[in-house]
């Protein structure tokens, strides 16, 4: 299992996704907007990068089966006639989630994560979506996640602990005086997480 945090503001997102594309990853929206199709991201001009807190799934070729796109029913009383979304699934996909504004103007962590094979096997027994976890090359999945995180870290100008800070996030942190890390993000005052 791989789980690393970093700080990225909106202007950093296209560089991170650009690196993923350059490294040969296929990049998918983790889920679609209600009633809309799910997109594969092929360019850093994707509208998905402008969402408040976008989430993506990275597929490293030759690590396992192709991603599976599933339709998920949503609460019709909340979402109306478009009460469904699509999700990108695959036990060995790498999650790339960008943080956004948290608390009173703080900046939340962005994360790069994979699932552990044992955990995937437990979940697959309950909800068998797509191919079995045994069909994934788990060391290759973790290697791909490490390679992606190294690319992210190479863009960083500084860090908070083990969490690299990308350029636009660094400027936002400076402009807003975000000095305190708690609750999964940086804040201007202590104890807001």
């Amino acid at each position: 299992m791989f789980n690393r945090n970093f700080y990225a503001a909106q202007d950093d997102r296209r560089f991170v996704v650009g690196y993923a594309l350059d490294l040969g990853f296929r990049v998918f929206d983790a889920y679609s907007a209600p009633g809309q199709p799910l997109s594969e991201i092929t360019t850093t001009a994707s509208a998905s990068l402008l969402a408040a807190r976008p989430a993506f799934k990275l597929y490293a070729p030759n690590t396992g089966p192709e991603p599976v796109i599933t339709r998920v029913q949503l609460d019709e009383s909340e979402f109306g006639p478009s009460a469904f979304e699509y999700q990108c699934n695959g036990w060995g996909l790498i999650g790339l989630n960008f943080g956004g504004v948290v608390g009173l103007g703080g900046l939340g962590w962005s994360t790069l994560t994979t699932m552990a094979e044992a955990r995937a096997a437990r979940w697959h027994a309950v909800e068998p979506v797509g191919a079995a976890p045994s069909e994934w090359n788990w060391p290759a999945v973790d290697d791909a996640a490490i390679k992606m995180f190294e690319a992210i870290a190479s863009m960083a100008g500084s860090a908070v602990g083990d969490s690299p800070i990308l350029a636009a996030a660094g400027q936002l942190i400076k402009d807003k005086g975000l000095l305190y890390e708690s609750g999964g993000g940086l804040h201007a005052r202590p104890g807001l997480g």
Side-chain angles (χ1 to χ4, degrees):
M1 185 170 137
F2 183 88
N3 184 6
R4 298 291 187 278
N5 303 317
F6 61 99
Y7 289 101
Q10 189 168 3
D11 290 344
D12 296 314
R13 296 171 185 172
R14 61 189 167 103
F15 295 110
V16 174
V17 170
Y19 256 111
L21 294 170
D22 289 347
L23 291 171
F25 288 98
R26 291 178 62 196
V27 181
F28 297 86
D29 284 326
Y31 48 87
S32 70
Q36 299 298 312
L38 187 130
S39 298
E40 180 171 357
I41 310 305
T42 58
T43 173
T44 59
S46 170
S48 297
L49 291 166
L50 302 177
R53 297 183 81 160
F56 301 98
K57 296 289 184 170
L58 307 181
Y59 172 66
N62 303 316
T63 58
E66 291 281 318
V68 174
I69 309 303
T70 55
R71 181 180 161 137
V72 176
Q73 218 41 52
L74 301 173
D75 183 356
E76 193 169 320
S77 65
E78 184 176 347
F79 294 96
S82 297
F84 65 89
E85 69 180 12
Y86 291 96
Q87 295 178 354
C88 183
N89 296 296
W91 299 114
L93 296 178
I94 300 166
L96 172 62
N97 300 296
F98 287 103
V101 175
V102 296
L104 300 173
L107 178 63
W109 280 331
S110 293
T111 59
L112 191 69
T113 60
T114 64
M115 187 173 282
E117 181 178 8
R119 184 173 186 212
R122 287 191 303 272
W123 274 104
H124 188 73
V126 174
E127 189 173 345
V129 176
S134 60
E135 294 186 38
W136 288 87
N137 180 340
W138 291 96
V141 169
D142 285 340
D143 287 347
I146 290 167
K147 187 176 185 179
M148 184 63 207
F149 189 73
E150 287 173 349
I152 292 168
S154 75
M155 293 186 280
S158 60
V160 173
D162 293 337
S163 302
I165 300 172
L166 303 185
Q171 189 62 51
L172 178 74
I173 290 164
K174 180 181 174 186
D175 292 348
K176 291 185 172 266
L178 306 178
L179 303 172
Y180 303 97
E181 187 172 42
S182 67
L186 285 171
H187 307 276
R189 298 187 314 230
L192 291 176

